[in-house]
Amino acid sequence: MKHLYIHIPFCVRRCAYCDFNTYANMEHRIAAYVDALCAELTMLAAVTPPLPVSAEAHALRPTIFFGGGTPTMLSIAQFERILQAAGTLVSLEGAEISSEANPGSEIDRTYLRELRGLGVNRLSMGVQSLHDPTLRVLGRIHNAADAYASYNDARAAGFTNINLDFIFGLPGQDQAQWAQTLATITDWGVDHFALYSLIVEASTPLYAQVTSGRVTVPDSDATAAMYEAAITAFGAAGYAQYEISNWVREGVGQGDKGTGGQGSPQPATLSPQPSALPARACHHNLAYWLNSDYLAAGAGAHGHLYPLRYANILGIDDYITTVRSGVRPVADTTPLDAADLRAETMFMGLRLNAGVSEDHFAARCGLSLDEAYGVELAELVELQLIERDAVRVRLTERGRMLGNQVFERFV
């Protein structure tokens, strides 16, 4: 297997906007959870091999992604145990091994240096905002100064591939505040950014605050303007947007702080050829967008092994008990047919700026794009939502802003 997601569901505190499978005040269960996780990884050795992949998917590095929750609540020894177990499924040689992390007191330079020493070579830090009052509303455990300090600690610890997550459309956020954030972070010399529009989920404390009127969030027009501002700011700072929510810049690292006040480089561009994707693009997420198969382990983790998708048991104790009984902790499976495979290959792949290539679609789905979606593609070209050449189909700038209207044509 080439790709593996590992879910670590523990948090110091649940954020007000979070609807992921995470739990606070459960630190006493981490040791037992790690035991169960390693046992599940052993069980996964018997899964059915995935379908053959396209040349684009084959070109990706092997990947292991520690998500959460907060993976850095694990001790270094626990991380090492899990990596050893994961190495029986995914080759660690040349792999992109990522871990999410929260800025602040839970990580320091010594911890990060030891984590890097284990072979974790990509760090994804959930900064979300540089506005301290907003961070408090969101329930984050750090402030803006903590975020910058943790980023610099990661650089000093040897991480040369760092992603920072930010959210826009936050409570009380306006265009000026967002513009200041963009100006600040593009001067930090970060390798990779992932930006997400806030979704107020009904199951979260933030939903209750918004619906009661205690906090207000920007409307859809204001949020769209923030997204466009990010595209402009990152482009001017030399970042290439390679997916709807993701930007990368090459040649930055080892503490390089970028251009500062010395002028703006030309925006980076991406070749449409997959082999030309920047080295610091997230290969694990690229596997998702190329609709590749991947394994997943941990409470609430979701895996994809065509012709099915599976989801693990959510609760930590239920997960531990099930694995201890010698049974894989799968709660649900969703059968996938050929139509599902075609649809997901299209709407996931169209998130990429490079789009969906004819070769990739044919290798993954066994049909040409015209055989599968000739009518739909012609209509979308006419509406100027996609553009097409002999090699691939991709969203236009307008189509990127109206992506959901495009994606629903394939469902």
Side-chain angles (χ1 to χ4, degrees):
M1 195 63 196
K2 197 166 184 179
H3 307 289
L4 171 64
Y5 173 79
I6 297 173
H7 192 67
I8 308 298
F10 302 95
C11 280
V12 174
R13 181 171 64 197
R14 275 182 63 86
C15 298
Y17 60 89
C18 179
D19 74 335
F20 295 148
N21 188 45
T22 61
Y23 303 87
N25 303 313
M26 293 285 284
E27 289 89 341
H28 62 288
R29 302 301 286 151
I30 291 178
Y33 183 83
V34 170
D35 289 341
L37 185 56
C38 291
E40 186 194 1
L41 290 169
T42 299
M43 295 177 187
L44 287 174
V47 299
T48 304
L51 287 175
V53 299
S54 69
E56 290 177 59
H58 182 73
L60 298 178
R61 297 165 64 186
T63 68
I64 299 173
F65 194 103
F66 288 83
T70 311
T72 48
M73 288 183 68
L74 299 176
S75 70
I76 294 299
Q78 289 166 338
F79 247 113
E80 185 173 24
R81 277 191 63 201
I82 297 168
L83 272 175
Q84 288 174 347
T88 65
L89 299 172
V90 175
S91 173
L92 302 183
E93 183 73 25
E96 173 194 88
I97 304 176
S98 303
S99 177
E100 293 181 343
N102 284 331
S105 60
E106 73 182 45
I107 55 174
D108 58 24
R109 193 168 297 189
T110 298
Y111 181 95
L112 291 168
R113 186 178 295 113
E114 292 176 351
L115 188 66
R116 181 68 189 89
L118 292 180
V120 177
N121 50 30
R122 184 177 184 274
L123 201 65
S124 183
M125 301 180 71
V127 178
Q128 316 309 3
S129 173
L130 295 182
H131 187 240
D132 288 347
T134 300
L135 289 169
R136 289 193 290 271
V137 170
L138 296 179
R140 302 296 289 171
I141 64 172
H142 68 273
N143 58 32
D146 293 332
Y148 188 56
S150 292
Y151 168 72
N152 284 318
D153 282 344
R155 282 287 190 221
F159 282 94
T160 59
N161 190 357
I162 301 174
N163 168 70
L164 299 184
D165 283 352
F166 282 87
I167 302 174
F168 57 95
L170 290 169
Q173 191 176 51
D174 59 25
Q175 303 298 331
Q177 183 191 115
W178 180 236
Q180 181 58 56
T181 295
L182 293 170
T184 299
I185 62 178
T186 52
D187 195 44
W188 285 7
V190 181
D191 310 299
H192 189 288
F193 287 105
L195 267 55
Y196 303 102
S197 175
L198 176 68
I199 299 175
V200 182
E201 302 286 0
S203 60
T204 64
L206 184 60
Y207 179 84
Q209 295 173 25
V210 171
T211 55
S212 69
R214 283 177 285 165
V215 300
T216 59
V217 295
D219 62 23
S220 58
D221 288 341
T223 301
M226 291 178 190
Y227 180 66
E228 291 176 329
I231 293 173
T232 299
F234 284 144
Y239 288 87
Q241 184 181 16
Y242 70 97
E243 191 269 345
I244 284 176
S245 300
N246 286 262
W247 286 259
V248 66
R249 183 166 66 172
E250 296 302 336
V252 181
Q254 306 292 352
D256 179 359
K257 298 301 180 190
T259 62
Q262 300 177 17
S264 298
Q266 292 298 310
T269 57
L270 294 183
S271 162
Q273 298 304 315
S275 60
L277 282 169
R280 292 188 179 97
C282 181
H283 283 228
H284 186 82
N285 287 343
L286 283 167
Y288 295 156
W289 298 319
L290 291 172
N291 199 27
S292 299
D293 289 294
Y294 57 92
L295 293 172
H302 289 244
H304 184 284
L305 291 168
Y306 185 80
L308 64 84
R309 184 183 295 110
Y310 70 88
N312 276 356
I313 292 167
L314 292 172
I316 289 173
D317 286 332
D318 290 340
Y319 170 82
I320 292 170
T321 299
T322 302
V323 175
R324 280 177 174 171
S325 72
V327 176
R328 275 188 65 197
V330 176
D332 297 294
T333 59
T334 303
L336 302 170
D337 61 21
D340 296 321
L341 182 67
R342 293 192 295 270
E344 291 176 6
T345 300
M346 285 303 295
F347 67 70
M348 294 297 287
L350 283 172
R351 292 185 61 90
L352 293 166
N353 283 34
V356 180
S357 75
E358 294 276 359
D359 288 347
H360 171 66
F361 188 85
R364 188 62 172 151
C365 302
L367 293 173
S368 71
L369 283 170
D370 278 324
E371 288 172 324
Y373 294 117
V375 172
E376 291 85 354
L377 293 174
E379 291 175 350
L380 290 167
V381 168
E382 180 69 21
L383 293 169
Q384 299 183 345
L385 295 175
I386 65 169
E387 58 186 12
R388 190 177 183 189
D389 57 27
V391 177
R392 61 183 63 238
V393 57
R394 59 172 68 85
L395 294 176
T396 61
E397 183 176 345
R398 179 168 179 262
R400 193 173 297 118
M401 300 301 296
L402 301 171
N404 287 339
Q405 295 182 30
V406 177
F407 303 153
E408 67 185 14
R409 297 296 187 101
F410 305 105
V411 176

